[in-house]
Amino acid sequence: MSEEDVVKYLQDTPDFFERNPELLEELTIPHPVHGGAISLLERQVSLLRKSTAEYRGEFERLVSIARENEAIMKKSRRLILKCLSGDSLDDFAEVVEEVMREDFAVNYMSMVLFTEQPLDTSVRTASWESAEPIIKEMLAQSGCYCGVLSVVESEFLFQSQSDSVMSSAIMPLVSFEGGQVVYHGVLALGSNRLNHFDKEKGSLFLDYLSDLLSALLLRLLP
């Protein structure tokens, strides 16, 4: 009988060791660490312990993610409710800055609205014609931009604070008209840590926040 025959027999007879339990103690295999012989039963117990530890670690990781997501949703809810209570662009900008600073621990924040006409607001404005050549690379990709800005981009968005910003998240504030994207502004978040905003970490929540803030902003624009 060949080794393949033995393997096939055991595969075809899954209850073999249930009917012959004494073999579990008699069979020996090399220890995975120190190389000494251990019984098949000991090896199975070792594998089960390893699997249990791995499952426990994965479970704890998922619980941690769930708690983090729950905290983010609570902060998002607070942002929505506070923005809805305001009735001006100044109220909107003030609420966003407060929540970003207090709830999301953002070091630097800048909001720029794109308009060709004067707006009744203290929020910084710029024409799309002047802003597009500077930030078009960031807005060319789908969703939010995360990473390090060029000197020109950083100076445009963060002005006097640009030298302190090491990484950024740029959220477009947009609407969709006739199948086209219309840019109404950007919200720029900055950190003094180089990898705080990193595209490798993903931007799902930032994309969600961008959509949310865009909808809240549109109700206040003339």
Side-chain angles (χ1 to χ4, degrees), residues 48-68:
L48 285 173
R49 285 174 178 168
K50 181 180 178 182
S51 297
T52 300
E54 290 174 350
Y55 284 131
R56 184 182 294 113
E58 179 67 10
F59 175 75
E60 291 174 352
R61 187 184 71 84
L62 292 174
V63 168
S64 177
I65 292 174
R67 287 173 178 165
E68 182 179 340

Side-chain angles (χ1 to χ4, degrees), residues 133-179:
I134 301 173
I135 63 175
K136 63 181 180 180
E137 292 298 326
M138 291 181 291
L139 301 180
Q141 62 179 349
S142 177
C144 299
Y145 170 86
C146 293
V148 179
L149 302 179
S150 70
V151 172
V152 174
E153 292 167 342
S154 186
E155 288 179 346
F156 173 76
L157 292 169
F158 294 102
Q159 297 183 305
S160 62
Q161 297 178 319
S162 62
D163 288 343
S164 302
V165 177
M166 296 293 101
S167 63
S168 306
I170 312 302
M171 291 183 281
L173 303 174
V174 304
S175 64
F176 296 90
E177 301 175 11

